[in-house]
């Protein structure tokens, strides 16, 4: 952890996460296609985990999930590989980028199945939005992600009528 203007900050690498989940028959329709809602549930879960890590254990809730496009089908027996990383923070809100790959375990081929941007908000013990650490950026990639995240956040807040 390092400090900026006296406030603690955290690096994206301190909260990033990956999870791998095998898709089972109960996750899919009768033809074997995994439900979008099942994938969305895992996206929401991992975004919450990253947000909670960044917020130092505060309660976090999902404020929004940007439009999510399912690029490729995911089937029963595939491994869903979900990785998530914080891209941008404001006072209490943060944007998490979540990437979803599907691995065919018969031949280990992988496809990019979806990408989502999730906004999580940290709450204090009274359920009110609370301040979170700023983001420490060590390289140009982090800075690029941050400025792109800022543009997306401004646009989603405008769409939500929040600015
Ligand atoms: C998200 C929530 C806490 C925001 O509360 P609020 O009373 O609108 O509070 P504020 O207007 O002060 O906003 C707090 C933060 O949330 C952000 N926010 C609010 N609505 C947002 C939206 N639609 N998209 C992105 N960020 C949003 C604000 O920009 C602000 O961020 P900042 O502190 O970093 O500047 C509140 O709407 C809520 O509890 N929603 C339900 C969350 C939930 O239960 N999710 C699970 C799925 S149902």
């Amino acid at each position: 952890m390092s400090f900026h203007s006296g406030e603690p900050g955290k690096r994206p690498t301190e909260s990033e996460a990956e999870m791998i989940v095998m898709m089972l028959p109960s996750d899919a329709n009768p033809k074997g296609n995994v439900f979008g809602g099942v994938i969305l549930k895992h996206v929401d879960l991992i975004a919450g985990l990253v947000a909670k890590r960044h917020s130092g254990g505060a309660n976090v809730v999902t404020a929004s999930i940007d439009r999510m496009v399912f690029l490729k089908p995911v089937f029963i027996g595939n491994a869903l590989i979900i990785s998530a990383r914080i891209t941008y923070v404001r006072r209490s809100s943060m944007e998490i980028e979540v990437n979803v790959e599907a691995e065919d375990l018969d031949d280990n081929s992988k496809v990019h199945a979806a990408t989502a941007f999730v906004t999580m908000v940290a709450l204090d013990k009274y359920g009110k939005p609370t301040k979170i650490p700023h983001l420490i950026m060590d390289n140009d990639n982090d800075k690029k992600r941050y400025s792109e995240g800022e543009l997306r956040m401004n646009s989603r807040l405008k769409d939500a009528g929040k600015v």
Side-chain angles (χ1 to χ4, degrees):
M1 186 179 291
S2 77
F3 292 85
H4 174 77
S5 307
E7 297 287 344
K10 276 189 180 172
R11 293 180 167 77
T13 48
E14 291 179 68
S15 57
E16 68 186 358
E18 181 176 284
M19 64 187 205
I20 303 177
V21 194
M22 168 84 94
M23 293 293 99
L24 299 172
S26 57
D27 298 319
N29 72 15
K31 294 285 184 195
N33 293 85
V34 170
F35 297 122
V38 167
I39 297 173
L40 203 49
K41 177 184 163 184
H42 292 298
V43 165
D44 197 18
L45 266 175
I46 197 167
L49 188 157
V50 168
K52 198 167 172 70
R53 274 183 172 164
H54 184 79
S55 311
N59 184 26
V60 292
V61 291
T62 314
S64 76
I65 301 180
D66 290 5
R67 187 174 67 104
M68 193 171 167
V69 181
F70 297 101
L71 302 165
K72 298 280 182 192
V74 180
F75 297 104
I76 294 170
N78 285 175
L80 211 58
I81 304 168
I82 310 174
S83 52
R85 185 181 168 100
I86 190 163
T87 51
Y88 173 72
V89 305
R90 285 163 80 100
R91 184 185 172 277
S92 67
S93 63
M94 62 212 106
E95 184 194 75
I96 321 289
E97 178 175 355
V98 183
N99 278 298
V100 182
E101 283 187 312
E103 178 180 349
D104 181 337
L105 292 171
D106 290 334
D107 61 9
N108 302 116
S109 60
K110 289 179 190 164
V111 292
H112 177 212
T115 296
F117 292 96
V118 183
T119 304
M120 307 292 307
V121 175
L123 306 178
D124 65 16
K125 61 182 177 181
Y126 306 106
K128 300 286 178 207
T130 189
K131 198 166 183 336
I132 55 173
H134 71 268
L135 211 51
I136 300 171
M137 290 166 284
D138 288 324
N139 55 53
D140 289 346
N141 268 342
D142 287 349
K143 288 176 191 160
K144 184 168 177 285
R145 284 198 183 96
Y146 189 90
S147 53
E148 289 171 354
E150 184 171 33
L151 288 176
R152 279 187 300 269
M153 187 65 86
N154 289 338
S155 153
R156 72 174 68 91
L157 289 176
K158 200 169 161 211
D159 289 349
K162 288 275 177 181
V163 286

